[in-house]
DNA sequence: TCTTAAACGAGACGGTACGTCTGGTCTTGAA
DNA sequence: TTCAAGACCAGACGTACCGTCTCGTTTAAGA
């Protein structure tokens, strides 16, 4: 994929084409063979790249997948004032993210390796949650002050529920109807279950 | 060679002591070295058992862990009429289950391998959810009829939220304060976030 | 894991030092534990080499032993004109070859596996007999023409007798007196048994 | 094969039908899968017999094969006075014995295991050679006294040549023309190679 | 007739070698 | 200093066979 076949084009500088080829191959392989079916050798072969070129860039399969799967920029998720719209946007965004077929495959594997690698844990937290958590904490404070939200509600609980539910429904139960999952969760979050 | 040094006590029947030793060793190793650090050879050695005795019983590490971690009987979880108490009991039960250190280690690994092994997916679903789901569906129907619960609420959504949140907070974020997690989640489920 | 502890010195080329170490270890183990007591793992360990490095080079234990035991060059065995001297040299050479302690151990094992592996059969034939057979056939033709040898004598019979007798006496009966075996066989071949 | 399937007919006595079934299965398997392809389990299954019944009778595969392949009685081989006829009879008998397809397969395996098991070595020697060697020694003494045989000829040399040549030609080179092998060897033994 | 003792088929047991695969490190030779 | 290629060691994988052992049944021989 990268180029020629047995040649490369940059002298003593890392070739960006290698990065791109590896990440693209990773995304492709994730849906083809799954996280656990993926090997470094397999990625290298699919990317048309030598294995050392991969080890030079990432310390483990989890790090490759992490970079391949999650966009490098945290999107501007929390911004509205209207609380219903805001929660709806957060839930639909979360469900859309974890509903991507590539992410569905990647998440359980990443979670599994996170437990043994705190580095990875931190990277994933920062990439996926930290920004949103801070903003959501601030928004909740505002909403609580204005009485829009009950004071018992904490940002971490909300994020646990949104991410956990999405992961469970999409990566574990493998549900296909994203719309339904997001709608039900939004309703539940906003109103609770009591009639 | 010098082989057959030790004895066993059951003729052509599988020795329950081997099962017990393997499952106990699995639980012990889960917290000591983690799911991914565990090998079949390691389990066999820790259990004082030959590897073939393990392969005779379980087809993969995930199946061993599954049996080691989850009790063979589905507890009588859903039974009360008082909806608040019932939800509280469900949430606290779920949090207690997924908060067990052994389960915390096991869950991400199991989830990862479930995606590649539908057998495992089915086993876990039946072991953990099927019974509760049926009962909860029935209870919800009753509660909805009596107006205690809003009609939009579905059993699958509730279970996704409870299990997903517990897994995310306990296995992924590794939170230690089970009480707080359960209390917050119960409150959120019952009342929603709106003031 | 802590891996890749040691180094090797040739890039993408097979390291001749590995070949040498394996073959030397094989020769050593042959006399220490015998052919059937030798395992690929044992050879690898004794040679300080990984098992895959062995499987990369030889398809079976028999092939390793074959290469370890027999020198890669067919010596210049058949060359003299004086028939008595020539036969004496052939017999003594054969007895010396099969009398080597390493060869004594290797031969029965190799023979056993040859029956199931035609590849091995061909390799051993070419290595040990083909060259000698051709030369001996030619010499016999000369000698027959000059009346030095009876016309009934065939090269294959001579080689069967020399190799078979040496193997039987040395590898099977484990006789130690090479000199006596060679002398008796030479006498018998030259003069037959009739008085 | 032996009988019924899960029953046997003798009380606390070994069932001769089991012996017979095992030996017959061994002979059959030898030509079907070869010595090294044969397992105790395979023999037991082919004989319709449990493995312990085999271990109760023979200590190793080699011992089974030994008994399966060689007739329990040493035939009356050495008996004639006419030396040419006697040698011819010995050679043809030896070639016929080692030319049997079952024996061809068995010999290299047995030879291989003999080196590690002196018991086996002794059994085979007694079964195949001891009787013949004594008689031949005596006959040679007579023939030497009457000048029919050159005094240098020893019985062990003759037996090494006959057995070794037969094994090499038939088990190793896998020659099919028994007649030719026996005729050539007889001629060589009687007259030597000199014209 | 009843008891004892041994052989039987079946198959689990601990152990170990097999041959394959993956992980992570290193060196080559070219660019 | 990068690159592709690939050899290297370490070690886990799942399979197969080994030789031992126990089970539960069956049966002959001794009491």
């Amino acid at each position: 994929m990268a180029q020629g076949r047995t040649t490369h084009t940059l002298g003593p500088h890392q070739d960006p084409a290698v990065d791109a080829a590896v990440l693209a191959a990773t995304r492709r392989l994730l849906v083809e063979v799954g996280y656990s079916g993926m090997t470094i050798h397999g990625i290298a072969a699919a990317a048309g790249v030598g294995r050392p070129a991969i080890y030079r860039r990432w310390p483990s399969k989890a790090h490759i997948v992490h970079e391949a799967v999650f966009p490098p920029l945290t999107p501007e998720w929390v911004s509205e004032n209207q609380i219903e719209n805001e929660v709806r946007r957060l839930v639909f965004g979360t469900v859309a993210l974890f509903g991507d077929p590539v992410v569905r495959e990647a998440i359980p594997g990443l979670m599994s390796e996170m437990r043994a690698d705190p580095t990875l844990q931190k990277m994933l937290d920062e990439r996926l949650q930290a920004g949103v958590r801070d903003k959501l904490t601030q928004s909740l404070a505002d909403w609580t002050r204005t009485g829009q939200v009950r004071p018992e509600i904490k940002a971490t609980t909300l994020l646990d529920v949104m991410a956990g539910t999405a992961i469970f429904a999409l990566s574990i139960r493998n549900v296909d109807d994203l719309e339904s999952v997001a709608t039900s969760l939004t309703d539940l979050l906003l109103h609770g279950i009591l009639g």
Side-chain angles (χ1 to χ4, degrees), chain A:
Chain A
M1 304 295 171
Q3 73 268 57
R5 181 90 316 205
T6 54
T7 67
H8 62 111
T9 49
L10 288 181
H13 311 300
Q14 285 200 341
D15 183 348
V18 170
D19 295 67
V22 168
L23 296 177
T26 299
R27 282 186 288 267
R28 181 153 35 89
L29 286 177
L30 264 176
V31 296
E32 287 177 3
V33 304
Y35 185 91
S36 64
M38 225 171 40
T39 67
I40 303 279
H41 174 84
I43 297 173
V49 145
R51 264 187 306 149
I54 293 184
Y55 285 114
R56 225 172 280 128
R57 289 168 169 79
W58 299 278
S60 83
K61 187 169 76 170
H63 290 80
I64 311 174
V65 170
H66 162 256
E67 184 167 338
V69 156
F70 297 114
L73 300 177
T74 303
E76 195 66 17
W77 264 1
V78 183
S79 56
E80 288 220 16
N81 285 29
Q82 197 69 17
I83 183 168
E84 283 91 350
N85 290 351
E86 190 52 45
V87 169
R88 186 178 317 277
R89 280 192 48 219
L90 270 173
V91 170
F92 276 77
T94 303
V95 168
L97 174 62
F98 290 110
D100 180 320
V102 175
V103 179
R104 276 163 123 110
E105 287 291 342
I107 283 291
L110 288 178
M111 284 170 37
S112 177
E113 309 209 11
M114 270 172 53
R115 290 204 65 84
D117 183 350
T119 301
L120 205 56
Q121 193 163 353
K122 195 167 185 186
M123 284 176 58
L124 273 166
D125 180 72
E126 287 179 356
R127 178 91 72 149
L128 290 182
Q129 298 226 294
V132 180
R133 183 162 51 234
D134 292 346
K135 283 213 171 181
L136 185 58
T137 303
Q138 190 178 341
S139 298
L140 272 180
D142 296 344
W143 294 331
T144 305
R145 203 176 328 107
T146 61
Q148 293 179 277
V149 157
R150 298 189 299 112
E152 295 88 350
I153 304 301
K154 291 174 292 188
T156 55
T157 304
L158 274 184
L159 289 173
D160 284 353
V161 169
M162 289 191 294
T165 304
I167 290 175
F168 193 85
L170 304 174
S171 271
I172 303 183
R173 290 209 305 115
N174 217 20
V175 170
D176 283 325
D177 187 351
L178 301 189
E179 176 80 17
S180 166
V181 169
T183 304
S184 298
L185 179 54
T186 304
D187 171 75
L188 184 64
L189 280 180
L190 288 175
H191 304 98
I193 64 178
L194 298 185

